[in-house]
Amino acid sequence: MKTLHNNITAILTIVFFITIFSGHSQEKMYKTQLETVYLKNTKEVVYQNTFSNYNESLIASNQINFKKEIKFSKGKNTSLLFVSNKNNVELITASYLKTIRKAANRSRNAEAFQTFLINNLPQLSHQFAIDNNLKELYFISRKDTFNGKIDALPSVL
């Protein structure tokens, strides 16, 4: 009985090592057969960009009440879309508004605002880099943030 058990253990061990070594040799064989693939850098074609349209509507309103806008967008459960030949992004409007408010509150200037948006929404970084309306959006959204209201107070000193 003991010899049968030892034989089965030996056979399983041999099978185990054979499968391991055969897998490594196949992997080496496939690595030598694969060639480098070069991707052509194509220009991104944008089919739909509701983020830009939404930013323009916020700028056109000339004043943003974040609390009211976030509550309204949560009630309607709206989302913003960015569709192109390279990527597709869908983001809930309330979440986007919260990100804008946070970026405006934590930034001291429009460049820091743009950098904050690029870091927190990396899937839209290429659009934020070419968006010309972000400076205006920063100044309008900064007015309704805590730090913006503090900055608007007259200096006592």
Side-chain angles (χ1 to χ4, degrees):
M1 185 73 172
K2 221 175 199 183
T3 58
L4 179 65
H5 181 59
N6 288 343
N7 289 341
I8 292 174
T9 305
I11 291 172
L12 288 176
T13 306
I14 291 171
V15 169
F16 176 73
F17 283 118
I18 289 172
T19 57
I20 289 176
F21 290 124
S22 66
H24 286 299
S25 65
Q26 286 178 351
E27 184 179 321
K28 289 179 185 177
M29 181 180 71
Y30 289 132
K31 283 184 179 179
T32 59
Q33 291 177 351
L34 293 177
E35 294 183 18
T36 306
V37 176
Y38 296 101
L39 299 175
K40 185 177 179 183
N41 188 7
T42 59
K43 187 175 181 181
E44 183 172 25
V45 179
V46 178
Y47 301 113
Q48 183 177 7
N49 185 358
T50 57
F51 288 93
S52 182
N53 296 340
Y54 190 68
N55 289 347
E56 289 174 7
S57 69
L58 289 175
I59 292 169
S61 70
N62 205 15
Q63 186 172 353
I64 303 171
N65 184 344
F66 281 109
K67 186 176 181 180
K68 185 176 118 184
E69 290 289 329
I70 290 170
K71 187 175 182 180
F72 177 74
S73 64
K74 276 185 179 178
K76 284 200 159 202
N77 199 16
T78 59
S79 60
L80 300 170
L81 294 172
F82 179 82
V83 181
S84 71
N85 63 339
K86 290 188 177 182
N87 64 0
N88 301 328
V89 178
E90 182 177 6
L91 190 64
I92 298 171
T93 307
S95 175
Y96 182 65
L97 282 168
K98 288 178 183 179
T99 303
I100 289 175
R101 178 178 60 189
K102 191 183 291 186
N105 197 30
R106 294 183 181 179
S107 304
R108 298 304 266 161
N109 56 29
E111 290 78 24
F113 176 74
Q114 183 176 9
T115 304
F116 187 91
L117 288 177
I118 288 171
N119 291 338
N120 286 305
L121 297 170
Q123 62 271 33
L124 292 171
S125 62
H126 54 284
Q127 285 301 312
F128 288 139
I130 62 172
D131 194 357
N132 297 330
N133 295 332
L134 286 181
K135 187 179 269 188
E136 294 174 52
L137 182 63
Y138 166 72
F139 289 118
I140 290 172
S141 58
R142 178 77 175 177
K143 293 177 191 176
D144 192 51
T145 63
F146 177 77
N147 286 333
K149 290 177 182 177
I150 296 294
D151 291 342
L153 291 175
S155 177
V156 178
L157 299 175

